């Protein structure tokens, strides 16, 4: 609060006390600001008792009255500002506001555009924050920043203070993009001033870490806080806040032992009951997350007593403490107590603009408690309220955050757990349509807008973002781990583009509705939306599980609980291991038939058999949106009780999320009649060469313009020289960089899934050999096309992309967002349909599959139908010739998505 501000040490290096507003990341120490109230006249305001402040006012007012005799002047303006600051420190906001008005009017009248006017705006902004005049405070801080021109060296340190206050205000209002931008600007100035290890720099970093945590970007927040925690000589309040926040962050990451160590360290240096109560709250929540409900209740109750004593019962800290104790009571089966405490917390938090995350947590748990108490309608009402807030919060993240922050936030939302427990299909469908695939959709919309715009600045911004990604990748590849500056620059470029595009309306499908999605389904089509969620088991234990929504164009959606992840995931992993039989071009024996058949039957019984009764009888085409490990499953090759493949009964087309239906329906289906085909970058795949030559000849006969490049001529640069082909076909080696498979560059790049997945183009074989020896090669046109590089291609007008290579569908699965790897890279590039493989495939079988697919493709002009007919025919052919396992291995690997 302004009443508790620690006064400035000098004119420009102010060290304000903690802003005690509520910030989104519950339980943590609120950000500490560098920017506080300062003396406009330049004299430091000493940290003195309120009585001394009153004395200073009594002494200073007659002096100021004497100055007024001489009329308006800079001296009078500075005096008014100084006295306003004293009144603000005392808590007399009306008097402070009046004096600030007078100081501002005098300075503006006399053309005061310097430091004095900036500090008036800065200090009155803090007064406006105290009065909850947030919009006015933003305007004041923006004006202060605008006046303090960064080209003038004497303005740099004051600018840091104003930027800190601006960033904190944005953060309080949930505007993460602008808050991050202001913090990064402040850090850059401190770097220029060579103050990187000073307290102002540490405070700014700590605030930035909290911002990332509030967005769900826990890894970035942890990296910053761990570095700060290792610093020597930190003042107690800052060190306490860092340790306390780091402990809470580690709890959220489910690293409970590390969290306990950090929280106990914070408790050991806690000063006063307030700090001790805050640590106890975080410890209680950590125990609850770790399933230690008795301990959580005991510690939480102690924290609640402390917070009520220090802040009063009707306060944000007390509300958070009640929510913590309520969660422990709920998990112990004390439902009446939990209900009462959660309701008390909700009543307070509903009035607090900045406590949305905490309020969502409370509402979801209130719904769980109400359901357990048999109050279904009440549970439904709380669920609707929580979902509405979650969607609103997600929209802000999508509008302001970078790609990393959007993904990080979505991975921490867990929107389906409590809704699945409630068992209301329409609410679950609403959540899935709104949230699943939302990050990819937002990125595709931004890129499409940037590419289509007539504004050169937008396209240049996108080019700079892609160039920075490649530069970072190259530096990492060369063993240079110091890429912080480039990553900061990348974030800044991304947020600038997001901000510019965010001022324009996004496509309507960015806020999709279930009814709109149902209307996009054609006759005979059904959407099966698989969701990975946490099942609430006995004793309130959270068990990872899978379920599915079955959505048709006519009927209400149906929810089907499938299998626990512990039963499903190992079977999928075992199946993929049985099919991992060497890369394209490797001669291998057939997989063991009995083991593969058994696993395909088990997976069918766990996943598909429960769904059959929910699928309308007239449905023949399934639009399947997998999640979690099911993204790597060969759904088409699952075996039913009669020994038939699933694809023999239904046409399966995959989507990354149900919302993709709306994007596809809205897309312009004008198909450019151009084919770009690159093959055999490693110069050892004769079947891939024949494959593209046959496809090229067939397409030419239909009047298409074709470009076929083979071997070393299949250069990476050709993908840039031939943008937006109607069809892009890549037939070559592909794979995943693994730390144990490649030294040097490969090991370092393998940490990022978008750097890990790659295709070998012309010259790429030499690059891989150099990497094996630990030698770095320049990334530009190195013959290795990574998923990140693929995402920068312009395929916005491309109807079909075919990745005729090994495990091009591999990568890291991300909650609700599919797989980060080549399949995501090409999707982000803008292609409408994408064909990829799930495991290493044979050269000969792949060539046969692809040529058969293209024959049907140009007969039907329908990618989904042509793919389905080809896959069924190839599965049957190989089953008849070599058995079920060989058929699944050779023809089940391929997946078509749209």
């Amino acid at each position: 609060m302004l009443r508790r501000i620690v006064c400035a040490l000098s004119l420009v290096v102010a060290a304000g006390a903690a802003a005690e507003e509520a910030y989104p990341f519950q339980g943590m120490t609120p950000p500490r600001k560098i920017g506080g109230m300062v003396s406009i006249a330049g004299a430091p305001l000493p940290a003195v008792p309120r009585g001394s402040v009153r004395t200073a006012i009594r002494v200073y007012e007659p002096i100021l009255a004497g100055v007024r005799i001489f009329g308006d002047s800079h001296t009078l303006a500075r005096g008014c500002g100084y006295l306003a600051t004293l009144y603000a420190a005392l808590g007399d906001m009306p008097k402070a506001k009046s004096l600030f008005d007078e100081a501002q009017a005098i300075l503006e009248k006399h053309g005061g555009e310097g430091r004095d006017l900036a500090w008036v705006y800065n200090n009155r902004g803090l007064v406006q924050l105290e009065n909850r005049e947030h919009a006015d405070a933003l305007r004041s801080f923006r004006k202060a920043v605008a006046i303090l021109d960064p080209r003038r060296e004497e303005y740099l340190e004051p600018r840091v203070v104003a930027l800190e206050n601006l960033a904190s205000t944005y953060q309080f209002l949930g505007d993460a993009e602008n808050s991050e931008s202001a913090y990064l600007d402040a850090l850059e100035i401190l770097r220029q001033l060579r103050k990187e290890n000073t307290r102002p720099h540490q405070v700014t970093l700590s605030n930035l870490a909290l911002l990332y945590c509030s967005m769900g970007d826990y890894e970035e927040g942890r990296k910053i806080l761990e570095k700060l925690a290792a610093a020597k000589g930190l003042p107690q309040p800052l060190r306490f806040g860092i340790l306390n926040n780091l402990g809470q962050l580690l709890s959220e990451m489910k690293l409970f032992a590390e969290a306990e160590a950090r929280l106990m360290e914070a408790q050991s240096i806690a000063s006063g009951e307030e700090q001790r109560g805050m640590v106890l709250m975080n410890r209680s929540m950590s125990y609850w997350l770790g399933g230690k409900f008795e301990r959580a209740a005991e510690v939480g109750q102690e924290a609640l007593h402390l917070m009520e004593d220090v802040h009063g019962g009707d306060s944000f800290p007390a509300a958070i403490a009640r929510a913590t104790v309520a969660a422990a009571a709920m998990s112990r089966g004390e439902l009446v107590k939990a209900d009462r405490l959660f309701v008390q917390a909700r009543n307070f938090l509903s009035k607090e603009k900045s406590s949305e995350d905490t309020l969502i947590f409370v509402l979801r748990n209130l719904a769980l408690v109400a359901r357990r108490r048999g109050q279904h309608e009440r549970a439904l009402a709380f669920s609707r309220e929580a979902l509405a807030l979650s969607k609103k919060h997600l929209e802000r993240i999508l509008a302001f955050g970078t790609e990393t922050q959007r993904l990080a936030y979505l991975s921490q939302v867990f929107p389906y757990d409590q809704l699945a427990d409630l068992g209301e299909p329409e609410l679950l469908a609403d959540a899935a349509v709104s949230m699943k695939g939302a990050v990819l959709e937002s990125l595709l919309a931004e890129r499409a807008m940037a590419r289509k715009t007539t504004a050169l600045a937008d396209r240049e911004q996108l080019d700079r973002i892609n160039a920075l990604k490649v530069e970072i990748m190259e530096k990492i590849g060369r063993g240079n781990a110091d890429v912080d500056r480039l990553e900061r620059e990348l974030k800044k470029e991304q947020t600038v583009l997001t901000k510019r595009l965010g001022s324009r309306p996004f496509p309507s499908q960015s806020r999709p509705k279930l009814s709109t999605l149902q209307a996009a389904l054609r006759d005979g089509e059904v959407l099966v939306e698989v969701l990975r969620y946490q099942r609430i088991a006995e004793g309130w234990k959270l068990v990872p599980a899978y379920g599915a929504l079955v959505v048709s164009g006519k009927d209400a959606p149906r929810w089907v609980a499938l299998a626990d992840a512990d039963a499903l995931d190992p079977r999928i992993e075992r199946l993929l291991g049985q099919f991992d039989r060497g890369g394209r071009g490797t001669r291998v024996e057939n997989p063991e038939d009995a083991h593969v058949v058994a696993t395909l039957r088990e997976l069918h019984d766990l996943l598909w058999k429960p769904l059959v009764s929910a699928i309308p009888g007239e449905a023949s085409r399934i639009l399947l949106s997998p999640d979690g490990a099911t993204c790597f499953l060969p759904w088409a090759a699952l075996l039913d009780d009669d020994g038939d493949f699933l694809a023999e009964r239904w046409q399966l087309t995959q989507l990354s999320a149900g919302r993709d239906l709306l994007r596809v329906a809205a897309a312009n289906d004008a198909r450019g009649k151009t084919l770009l085909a690159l093959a055999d970058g490693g110069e050892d795949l004769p079947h891939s060469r024949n494959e593209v030559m046959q496809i090229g000849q067939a397409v030419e006969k239909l009047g298409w313009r074709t470009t076929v490049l083979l071997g070393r001529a299949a250069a990476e640069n050709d993908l840039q020289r031939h943008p937006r082909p109607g069809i892009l076909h890549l037939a070559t080696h592909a794979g995943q960089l693994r730390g144990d498979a490649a030294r040097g560059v490969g090991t370092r790049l393998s940490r990022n899934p978008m750097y890990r997945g790659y295709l070998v183009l012309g010259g790429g074989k030499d690059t891989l050999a150099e990497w094996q020896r630990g030698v770095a090669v320049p990334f530009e046109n190195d013959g290795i096309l990574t998923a990140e590089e693929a995402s920068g291609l312009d395929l916005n007008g491309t109807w079909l992309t075919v990745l005729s290579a090994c495990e091009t569908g591999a990568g890291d699965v991300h909650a609700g967002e599919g797989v980060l790897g080549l399949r995501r890279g090409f999707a982000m590039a803008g292609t409408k349909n994408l064909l990829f493989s799930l495991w290493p495939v044979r050269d000969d079988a792949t060539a046969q599959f692809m040529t058969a697919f293209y024959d049907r493709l140009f007969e039907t002009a329908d990618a989904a139908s042509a793919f389905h007919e080809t896959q069924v025919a190839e599965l049957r052919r190989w089953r008849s010739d070599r058995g079920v396992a060989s058929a699944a291995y050779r023809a089940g690997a391929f997946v078509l998505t749209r």
Side-chain angles (χ1 to χ4, degrees), residues 553-832:
K554 301 175 182 177
D555 304 320
R558 299 182 65 180
W559 168 249
V560 181
L562 298 175
D564 287 349
D566 286 347
L568 195 60
D569 290 359
R571 285 179 168 85
I572 295 175
E573 186 177 357
R574 184 170 71 236
L575 181 67
L576 295 176
Q578 290 167 330
F579 286 154
D580 188 358
R581 313 188 67 79
R584 182 166 183 170
T586 305
R587 293 188 174 276
V588 295
E589 298 298 323
N590 292 325
E592 295 181 36
D593 195 80
H595 295 300
V596 170
V597 169
T599 305
L600 290 172
R601 286 185 183 278
E602 290 172 357
L603 289 167
H604 174 275
D605 292 347
L606 287 169
L607 279 173
W608 197 258
K609 186 177 283 189
L611 284 170
V612 171
S613 61
I615 296 175
E618 69 274 13
S620 59
R621 296 187 302 277
I622 305 297
L623 302 174
L624 178 67
S625 170
D627 199 6
T630 67
C631 291
F632 305 112
L633 185 67
W635 290 83
L638 298 184
L639 287 171
D640 65 17
D641 293 339
D642 298 324
D644 292 332
F645 292 115
L646 202 63
E648 294 181 272
R649 168 66 180 84
W650 285 282
Q651 176 182 307
L652 299 173
T653 302
Q654 287 198 19
L655 308 169
S656 65
R659 62 167 53 224
D660 288 355
L661 271 173
L662 307 180
R663 175 168 52 85
V664 170
N668 184 354
D669 201 32
R671 306 173 186 180
K673 293 188 175 183
T674 57
L675 167 72
L676 174 63
L678 285 72
D680 193 20
E683 301 181 276
D684 57 357
L685 296 176
H687 291 288
S688 76
R689 287 177 176 249
N690 292 335
E691 173 186 322
V692 298
M693 290 174 68
Q694 288 182 43
I695 293 169
Q697 290 168 5
V699 169
E700 277 186 337
K701 290 178 181 178
L702 297 172
W704 284 47
R705 183 163 47 86
T706 66
T707 302
V708 175
L709 303 169
L710 306 174
R712 285 190 173 273
E716 191 176 346
N717 282 348
D718 282 293
L719 293 172
Q720 302 287 351
R721 286 198 290 264
H722 299 82
R724 304 186 181 188
I727 295 176
L728 173 63
H729 189 98
L730 302 173
T732 186
H733 286 294
Q736 295 283 303
L737 291 173
R738 297 181 174 90
D740 59 350
R743 298 190 300 275
V745 175
T747 303
R748 290 187 289 273
L749 290 183
S750 68
R751 296 169 189 161
N752 186 324
M754 294 299 287
Y755 298 164
R756 189 183 308 142
Y758 68 90
L759 287 158
V760 179
L761 299 178
K765 187 175 181 180
D766 296 337
T767 298
L768 289 174
E770 292 293 288
W771 285 2
Q772 286 289 343
R773 291 195 292 272
V775 178
V777 176
F779 273 70
E780 187 177 357
N781 203 30
D782 62 356
I784 300 296
L785 182 74
T786 66
E788 189 63 77
E789 290 173 305
S791 73
L793 298 175
D794 186 358
L795 302 180
N796 203 43
T798 299
W799 175 55
L800 171 66
T801 296
V802 177
L803 307 181
S804 179
C806 295
E807 57 180 342
T808 46
D812 284 11
V813 70
H814 202 286
E817 282 293 315
V819 177
L820 303 187
L822 282 168
R823 63 168 94 173
R824 186 179 184 86
F826 280 94
M828 287 178 63
T831 189
K832 183 175 178 180

Side-chain angles (χ1 to χ4, degrees), residues 416 427-437 529 531 549 657-659:
Y416 312 124
L427 268 184
L428 266 167
D430 187 5
V433 171
S434 302
M435 296 185 176
K436 191 177 179 188
E529 188 86 76
L531 302 177
L549 286 158
R659 62 167 53 224

Side-chain angles (χ1 to χ4, degrees), residues 3-36:
R3 297 179 184 87
R4 303 182 57 199
I5 284 172
V6 178
C7 303
L9 299 178
S10 70
L11 173 64
V12 292
V13 185
E20 292 182 346
E21 321 291 354
Y23 285 86
F25 200 59
Q26 68 265 19
M28 282 193 162
T29 305
R32 289 189 170 272
K33 299 187 298 185
I34 296 175

Side-chain angles (χ1 to χ4, degrees), residues 374-587:
Q375 302 166 344
H376 183 78
E377 289 303 316
R378 187 164 173 256
L380 199 58
F382 288 136
S383 296
R384 288 197 183 104
E385 190 177 348
L387 180 57
L389 280 174
S390 297
K391 292 194 290 185
K392 179 182 173 185
H393 202 172
L394 178 61
E395 282 191 6
R396 276 207 303 270
I397 296 295
L398 296 180
F400 298 135
T402 64
E403 178 182 356
T404 300
Q405 291 160 356
R406 296 179 206 189
L407 287 170
Y409 175 78
L410 201 62
S411 70
Q412 303 296 333
V413 173
F414 304 117
Y416 312 124
D417 303 354
Q418 164 259 323
L419 295 175
D421 182 81
L422 186 62
E424 285 287 337
E426 291 205 12
L427 268 184
L428 266 167
D430 187 5
V433 171
S434 302
M435 296 185 176
K436 191 177 179 188
V439 172
L440 179 58
E441 177 66 33
S442 67
L443 294 170
L444 287 171
E446 281 183 6
R447 291 188 180 217
M449 289 174 71
R451 286 170 177 145
K452 291 178 180 178
T453 181
T454 56
L456 180 61
D458 290 349
R459 296 197 300 272
E460 289 179 341
Q461 195 94 39
L462 191 59
D463 289 342
R464 282 197 296 274
I465 288 169
N466 292 331
L468 278 167
K469 286 181 176 181
V470 173
E471 187 177 355
I472 290 169
M473 196 161 47
E474 179 155 359
K475 281 188 175 294
I476 294 172
R478 290 180 175 277
N480 185 350
D482 186 20
V483 292
D484 287 351
R485 181 190 62 79
L486 287 174
E487 288 181 341
R488 284 197 301 270
E489 189 177 343
L490 173 61
K491 280 186 178 180
K492 192 167 185 179
E493 294 288 351
Q494 287 175 325
T495 52
V496 166
L497 180 62
T498 299
K499 184 177 179 181
R500 183 185 293 130
L501 296 176
S503 64
R504 306 166 202 171
F506 271 75
S508 59
Q509 65 265 28
S510 63
R511 298 178 182 88
K513 295 181 180 179
L514 175 62
S515 58
T516 311
L517 187 148
Q518 288 179 302
L521 290 166
R522 297 178 292 179
D523 289 342
E525 283 186 340
V526 168
L527 170 67
V528 174
E529 188 86 76
V530 179
L531 302 177
R532 196 178 196 273
Y533 69 104
Q534 296 178 109
R535 179 172 62 84
I536 303 171
E538 187 177 351
W540 297 88
K541 182 181 179 183
L542 296 176
V543 179
Y546 290 90
L549 286 158
V550 179
V551 182
S552 67
K554 301 175 182 177
D555 304 320
R558 299 182 65 180
W559 168 249
V560 181
L562 298 175
D564 287 349
D566 286 347
L568 195 60
D569 290 359
R571 285 179 168 85
I572 295 175
E573 186 177 357
R574 184 170 71 236
L575 181 67
L576 295 176
Q578 290 167 330
F579 286 154
D580 188 358
R581 313 188 67 79
R584 182 166 183 170
T586 305
R587 293 188 174 276

Side-chain angles (χ1 to χ4, degrees), residues 115-419:
R115 191 158 39 186
D116 290 341
L117 185 57
W119 281 129
V120 169
Y121 279 123
N122 176 76
N123 289 7
R124 78 175 302 147
L126 287 167
V127 172
Q128 289 160 340
L129 272 185
E130 177 74 3
N131 292 331
R132 298 182 176 273
E133 299 165 354
H134 301 114
D136 292 335
L138 273 181
R139 281 192 287 271
S140 294
F141 292 136
R142 284 191 193 122
K143 286 178 179 177
V145 170
I147 290 168
L148 296 166
D149 190 335
R151 292 170 295 184
R152 295 182 60 173
E153 187 175 352
E154 68 272 22
Y155 282 1
L156 289 180
E157 290 192 34
R159 186 177 172 86
V160 169
V161 179
L163 282 167
E164 277 280 342
N165 281 334
L166 181 62
S168 295
T169 307
Y170 277 130
Q171 186 173 354
F172 174 73
L173 294 173
D175 186 343
E177 179 265 331
N178 278 312
S179 179
E180 181 193 35
S181 180
Y183 280 135
L184 291 175
D185 284 348
L187 286 170
E188 179 59 24
I189 292 172
L190 290 168
R191 187 191 66 79
Q192 292 175 27
L193 296 172
R194 298 184 178 179
K195 294 192 173 186
E196 285 152 300
N197 294 313
T198 62
R199 183 173 183 270
H201 191 265
Q202 292 162 339
V203 171
T204 308
L205 276 176
S206 179
N207 289 347
L208 184 61
L210 274 187
L211 176 68
Y212 289 144
C213 293
S214 74
M215 299 171 71
D217 194 349
Y218 292 169
E219 285 295 343
E220 188 66 23
R222 180 187 182 184
K223 183 171 72 174
I224 293 171
L225 291 174
E226 291 278 15
K227 185 175 180 180
L228 287 171
K232 304 291 185 183
L234 292 175
Q236 186 276 338
L238 182 56
R239 182 164 189 78
F240 168 82
I242 289 166
L243 291 171
N244 183 60
N245 293 350
L246 182 55
Q248 173 69 358
L249 170 59
L250 292 166
S251 295
E252 294 286 344
M253 298 175 75
K254 302 194 184 308
L255 301 171
F256 299 117
E258 295 177 50
E260 176 75 354
R262 290 299 191 176
L263 289 172
M264 292 304 294
E265 190 178 353
Q267 188 168 327
S268 70
I269 65 168
S271 174
E273 290 186 337
E274 182 177 3
Q275 288 189 356
R276 185 165 175 270
M278 190 165 289
V279 179
L280 289 172
M281 273 200 303
N282 285 344
R283 285 181 59 203
S284 176
M285 184 56 67
S286 182
Y287 290 138
W288 180 74
L289 289 170
K292 297 179 180 180
F293 303 136
E294 294 289 338
R295 190 77 176 115
E298 176 188 343
V299 174
Q301 195 65 53
E302 186 180 355
L304 177 56
H305 289 322
L306 281 172
M307 289 306 182
E308 287 177 334
D309 288 345
V310 174
H311 296 283
D314 191 27
S315 65
F316 182 78
I320 296 297
R322 285 194 187 97
T324 306
V325 175
M330 176 186 70
S331 301
R332 297 171 66 195
E334 300 169 356
L335 299 182
V336 174
K337 178 180 179 180
D339 201 320
R340 173 174 54 81
L341 290 170
F342 274 135
V343 167
Q344 290 174 358
R346 173 191 178 244
N347 290 343
F348 180 87
L349 295 171
S350 296
K351 300 178 290 186
E352 293 293 305
K353 182 179 179 66
S354 63
S355 58
E356 266 183 11
D357 275 354
T358 311
L359 181 56
I360 290 168
F361 170 82
V362 168
L363 289 168
R364 286 177 178 169
N365 283 300
L366 265 172
L368 290 174
V369 171
R371 172 159 151 67
R372 294 301 186 276
R373 298 183 69 191
Q375 302 166 344
H376 183 78
E377 289 303 316
R378 187 164 173 256
L380 199 58
F382 288 136
S383 296
R384 288 197 183 104
E385 190 177 348
L387 180 57
L389 280 174
S390 297
K391 292 194 290 185
K392 179 182 173 185
H393 202 172
L394 178 61
E395 282 191 6
R396 276 207 303 270
I397 296 295
L398 296 180
F400 298 135
T402 64
E403 178 182 356
T404 300
Q405 291 160 356
R406 296 179 206 189
L407 287 170
Y409 175 78
L410 201 62
S411 70
Q412 303 296 333
V413 173
F414 304 117
Y416 312 124
D417 303 354
Q418 164 259 323
L419 295 175

